[in-house]
């Protein structure tokens, strides 16, 4: 079969993700699709996958993606005539200790928040469902009846047939050897059988995705890891419809197969395959059996299911699976090349994710933007740090080892640290800082009091830093604190058309005079919030843009992708050029005035302005802005001068009790003040009106911008969801997000974020209240609200204004 000379979209890789993407492109979008597979369909890691299909993740959107997979696998055979091997057996997750049981109670709450029915069972109920299981050590189990299992190869072949039925062309035995590039985009795919000119490329090459991406200068941070499981002979008494089992405290999983069991696990000492290139000819190949390494799983499995000790092992599968540094898979547009899209790195969730991932990726390819809030799997969550193959390998192995560990709130990775430090790192260590890591940057989360060990002790309840963070919080409210926020992502946009570019990209009006700041969202075409940042106008043709640490790659690429080629505007990342010190608290002006000759009075330097001032002999960009709800400034300092400016502020602040403060206090302060956090409270699924940010949108101006038409269509119409704050008085409650919101006993939403407000003395959560008709003020005022926290109902009070200083008097003083 001759390769075509042109296709609208070329999909690379014939595993489950590539075939699903081709199927959805052809079925849903009638796209002209060519799929290329270097070997045969399923020959990467798809064919040897275990085939467990779970649905629940901590993200509502990813849970929706997994639910779609299940729905697709149920009906695909009717469309294509090829069976998928789908069996809805349900899944039991076992708990052997109280921390795990608390985790499951929270998961069950999350499941119900997302519309999934998860039950909690006693050991006796588990024994009745799985008579061969030893349950003496169980506290209980979670039961998700709609989970199941499927045949990976059968699903893939069925998707491939469906793709062909809808017009896609699939070619086996065709290897991609490179790309023809033009103006930073792919113009053609080079293969062993000729070139194919195309408009877009979808890299679904599995463990080869990193190599395929590299041919176009694109980084896809994957690490192949050896993953083993066994298939046993028949086991007497094992039901063919036995539920799948996940036994995380013993790091193992089980599923029934032809009367026997498939059993594998996730060991704490995983084995990477290679940090180099994966051989092109690794087709239907496995590694040698490694029973020595597998013994740890076998021992645990036999203790759980004693019948395994008498079962023969039919086969061991030891094959590579693609894992990522954070345990989440990879979708989306490459920041280095906007017409290559990636679907890879599925962390052994490829079968569970395949149907839904292909569905959303196809939509993403066609529209050029994600159809849902897919930030947790977005390729643009990574940075240049992830080009370091050894760093990626080390972090990925840690993530693999945590696959079945208890997911404690606020837990930090430890590998590959420190990677990036601010100039204050050693100084802050001297203040007993306990650091966390964000996109490689070391950032102080909290400061241990004298005589206290400077480390996190993880727990499901209040953690060891709770009281110390409360003291930091109160210090900012009552005196003055200094935050090292040097990790902020920072860009400069300059040129004659810089303002015109921002007019189109930003939802708010950035066309203010020189010296003014603008808080703004960047919207997608649906009106959803793609980014949330601050723009400072330094000169008529020069703007300084500041956004969150973790969004550096994403926001830079979003802005760059939406600057029209015809505009004379240059965007530059200057993150490492500036350190950032946030000086916040009622005494901030006294501290700042003592180190500068500039007038920092309210009249001379009002809120929402930017000035260049001198501190300790250095020129500093001072932004009068806050994320804590107090008088304060962000001081953007030439990076080499950060230490000098910090020392000067600490010296001048000594009479006012100045002290360094960490990110955990920042979080509690912003919750009290009602400031939104992108990625949780505001996402691409949420409009500014729904989020209570309609005031930051320039709909009254006759200026077009991305998302304007979508917002105009709903402007003034009844909102079906609204972001609200909730407080809980019960002191022993811990809010972490995704708790269910009840109104008059009926679920109406779930929390997007949660924490504790030390000034108001209550637990605080934010979440969207939903109503199919209208979330009116009366709907909110007349309801009796509760939160479901770890499956327990607790009374809650709803608030539509900030809990602290709702008029903003302290910020503007």
């Amino acid at each position: 079969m001759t390769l075509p000379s042109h296709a609208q979209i070329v999909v690379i890789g014939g595993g489950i993700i590539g075939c699903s993407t081709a199927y959805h492109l052809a079925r849903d979008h009638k796209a002209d699709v060519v799929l290329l597979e270097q070997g045969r369909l399923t020959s990467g890691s798809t064919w040897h996958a275990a085939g467990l299909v779970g649905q629940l993740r901590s993200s509502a959107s990813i849970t929706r993606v997994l639910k779609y997979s299940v729905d697709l696998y149920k009906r695909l055979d009717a469309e294509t005539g090829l069976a998928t091997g789908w069996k809805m057996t349900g899944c039991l997750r076992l708990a052997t200790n109280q921390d795990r049981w608390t985790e499951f109670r929270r998961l069950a709450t999350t499941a119900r928040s997302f519309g999934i029915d998860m039950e909690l069972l006693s050991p006796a109920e588990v024994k009745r469902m799985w008579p061969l299981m030893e349950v003496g050590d169980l506290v209980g189990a979670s039961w998700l009846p709609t989970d199941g299992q499927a045949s990976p190869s059968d699903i893939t072949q069925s998707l491939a047939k469906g793709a062909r039925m809808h017009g896609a062309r699939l070619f086996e035995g065709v290897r991609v050897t490179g790309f023809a590039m033009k103006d930073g985009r792919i113009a053609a795919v080079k293969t062993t059988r000729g070139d194919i000119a195309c408009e877009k490329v979808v890299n679904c090459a599995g463990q080869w995705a990193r190599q395929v991406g590299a041919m176009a200068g694109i980084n896809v941070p994957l690490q192949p890891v050896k993953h083993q499981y066994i298939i046993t002979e028949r086991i007497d008494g094992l039901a063919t419809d036995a539920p799948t089992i996940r036994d995380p405290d013993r790091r193992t999983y089980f599923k029934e197969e032809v009367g026997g069991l498939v059993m594998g696990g996730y060991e704490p000492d995983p084995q990477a395959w290679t940090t180099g290139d994966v051989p092109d000819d690794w087709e239907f190949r496995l590694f040698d059996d490694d029973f020595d390494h597998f013994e740890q799983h076998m021992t645990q499995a036999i203790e759980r299911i004693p019948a395994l000790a008498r079962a023969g092992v039919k086969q061991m599968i030891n094959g590579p699976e693609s894992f990522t540094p954070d345990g989440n898979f990879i979708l989306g547009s490459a920041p280095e090349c906007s017409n290559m899209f990636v679907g890879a790195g599925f962390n052994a969730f490829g079968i569970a994710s395949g149907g839904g991932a292909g569905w959303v990726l196809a939509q993403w390819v066609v529209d050029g933007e994600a159809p849902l809030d897919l930030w947790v799997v977005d390729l643009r969550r990574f940075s240049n740090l992830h080009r370091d193959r050894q760093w990626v390998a080390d972090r990925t192995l840690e993530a693999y080892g945590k696959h079945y560990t208890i997911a404690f709130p606020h837990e930090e990775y430890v590998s590959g640290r420190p990677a990036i430090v601010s100039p204050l790192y050693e100084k802050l260590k001297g203040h007993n800082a306990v650091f966390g890591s964000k996109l490689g940057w070391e950032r102080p989360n909290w400061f241990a009091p004298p005589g206290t060990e400077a480390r996190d002790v993880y727990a499901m309840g209040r953690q060891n830093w709770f009281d110390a963070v409360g003291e930091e919080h109160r210090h900012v409210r009552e005196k003055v604190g200094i935050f090292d926020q040097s990790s902020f992502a920072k860009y400069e946009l300059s040129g004659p058309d810089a303002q015109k570019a921002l007019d189109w990209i930003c939802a708010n009006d950035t066309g203010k005079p020189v010296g003014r700041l603008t808080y703004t969202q960047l919207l997608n075409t649906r009106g959803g919030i793609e980014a949330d940042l601050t723009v400072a106008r330094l000169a008529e043709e020069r703007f300084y843009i500041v956004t969150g640490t973790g969004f550096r790659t994403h926001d830079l690429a979003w802005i760059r992708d939406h600057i029209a080629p015809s505009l004379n505007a240059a965007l530059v990342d200057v993150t490492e050029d500036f350190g950032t010190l946030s000086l916040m608290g009622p005494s901030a002006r006294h501290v700042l005035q003592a180190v500068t000759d500039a007038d920092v009075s309210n009249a001379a330097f009002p809120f929402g302005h930017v000035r260049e001032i001198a501190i300790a002999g250095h020129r500093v960009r001072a932004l009068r802005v806050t994320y804590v709800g107090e008088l304060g400034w962000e001081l953007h300092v030439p990076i080499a001068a950060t230490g000098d400016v910090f020392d000067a502020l600490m010296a001048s602040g000594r009479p006012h009790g100045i002290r360094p403060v960490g990110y955990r206090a920042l979080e509690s302060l912003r919750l009290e003040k009602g400031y939104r956090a992108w990625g949780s409270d505001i996402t691409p699924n949420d409009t500014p009106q729904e989020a209570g940010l309609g005031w930051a949108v320039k709909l009254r101006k006759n200026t077009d911008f991305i998302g304007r038409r979508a917002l105009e269509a709903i402007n003034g119409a009844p909102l079906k969801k609204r972001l609200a704050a909730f407080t809980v008085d019960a002191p022993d409650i811990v809010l972490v997000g995704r708790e269910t919101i009840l109104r008059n006993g009926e679920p109406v939403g779930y929390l997007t974020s949660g924490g504790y407000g030390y000034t108001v003395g209550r637990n605080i959560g934010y979440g969207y209240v939903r109503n199919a008709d209208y979330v009116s003020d009366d709907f909110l005022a007349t309801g009796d609200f509760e939160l479901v926290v770890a499956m327990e109902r607790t009374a809650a009070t709803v608030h539509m204004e900030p809990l602290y200083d709702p008029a903003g008097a302290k910020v503007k003083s």
Side-chain angles (χ1 to χ4, degrees), residues 499-763:
Q499 179 61 65
K500 189 173 183 180
L502 289 174
D503 284 343
W504 169 243
I505 293 167
C506 297
N508 206 350
D509 180 15
T510 59
K512 297 173 182 175
V514 172
R516 294 290 302 276
L517 300 175
T518 304
Y519 165 68
T520 185
Q521 286 80 49
L522 313 186
L523 308 181
N524 55 42
T525 58
R526 306 186 309 279
I529 301 170
E530 287 285 345
D532 175 75
L533 43 77
T534 301
V535 179
R537 190 164 202 167
L538 305 180
E540 284 297 323
E541 297 181 359
R542 189 179 180 205
F543 295 84
Y544 185 56
I545 302 170
V546 183
T547 189
T549 305
F551 317 134
R552 178 179 181 175
T553 305
H554 174 275
D555 291 4
L556 181 74
W558 182 273
I559 296 168
R560 187 192 59 228
D561 289 350
H562 291 89
I563 297 173
S566 60
L567 296 183
N568 184 354
L571 182 67
V572 180
D573 187 325
V574 295
T575 298
E576 277 79 21
D577 292 352
F578 295 92
T580 304
L581 301 175
S582 291
L583 183 70
M584 299 288 159
S587 298
R589 180 175 285 117
H590 298 302
V591 176
L592 185 59
Q593 190 65 80
V595 297
T596 183
D597 293 334
D599 185 352
V600 296
S601 67
N602 202 52
F605 199 157
F607 181 75
H609 285 64
V610 57
R611 300 279 187 270
E612 190 172 88
I613 64 176
I615 302 177
H618 303 285
R619 304 303 297 176
V620 174
R621 290 177 182 174
L623 282 62
R624 177 99 186 266
V625 67
T626 181
Y627 195 55
V628 303
E630 299 292 342
L631 170 67
W633 284 263
E634 278 179 19
L635 304 173
H636 293 253
V637 183
I639 193 77
T642 309
D644 291 347
V645 173
F646 176 80
D647 290 344
L649 292 169
M650 290 294 288
S652 70
R654 195 168 294 119
H656 305 283
I658 195 170
R659 61 165 294 178
V661 181
Y663 272 82
R664 299 232 167 101
L666 186 79
E667 176 68 6
S668 69
L669 290 159
R670 77 95 186 166
L671 285 170
E672 286 187 337
K673 190 65 178 119
Y675 294 137
R676 281 67 165 143
W678 191 85
S680 54
D681 306 319
I682 49 177
T683 76
N685 291 346
D686 313 308
T687 66
Q689 289 97 326
E690 293 165 339
L693 296 172
W695 57 268
V697 179
K698 58 191 177 200
L699 281 178
R700 292 182 181 179
K701 289 198 67 176
N702 188 27
T703 305
D704 199 10
F705 59 89
I706 303 168
R708 179 175 186 123
R709 279 184 288 278
L711 295 190
E712 285 178 331
I714 62 172
N715 195 41
L719 293 172
K720 297 182 180 180
K721 71 173 188 180
R722 290 173 67 184
L723 186 68
F726 295 87
T727 55
V728 175
D729 292 330
D732 56 337
I733 292 295
V734 176
L735 300 180
V736 295
R738 297 175 299 281
E739 293 84 359
T740 307
I741 303 167
L742 302 178
R743 179 185 180 273
N744 298 340
E746 296 297 320
V748 292
Y750 55 88
L751 296 188
T752 53
S753 62
Y756 190 80
Y758 295 90
T759 304
V760 300
R762 283 174 286 175
N763 297 286

Side-chain angles (χ1 to χ4, degrees), residues 348-380:
F349 279 103
I351 309 309
S353 310
W359 163 55
V360 293
L361 185 55
Q363 190 77 49
W364 203 333
V365 171
V366 169
D367 292 346
E369 62 183 37
L372 305 171
D373 170 25
L374 298 172
W375 169 241
V376 295
V377 298
D378 194 326
L379 174 59
R380 298 181 179 196

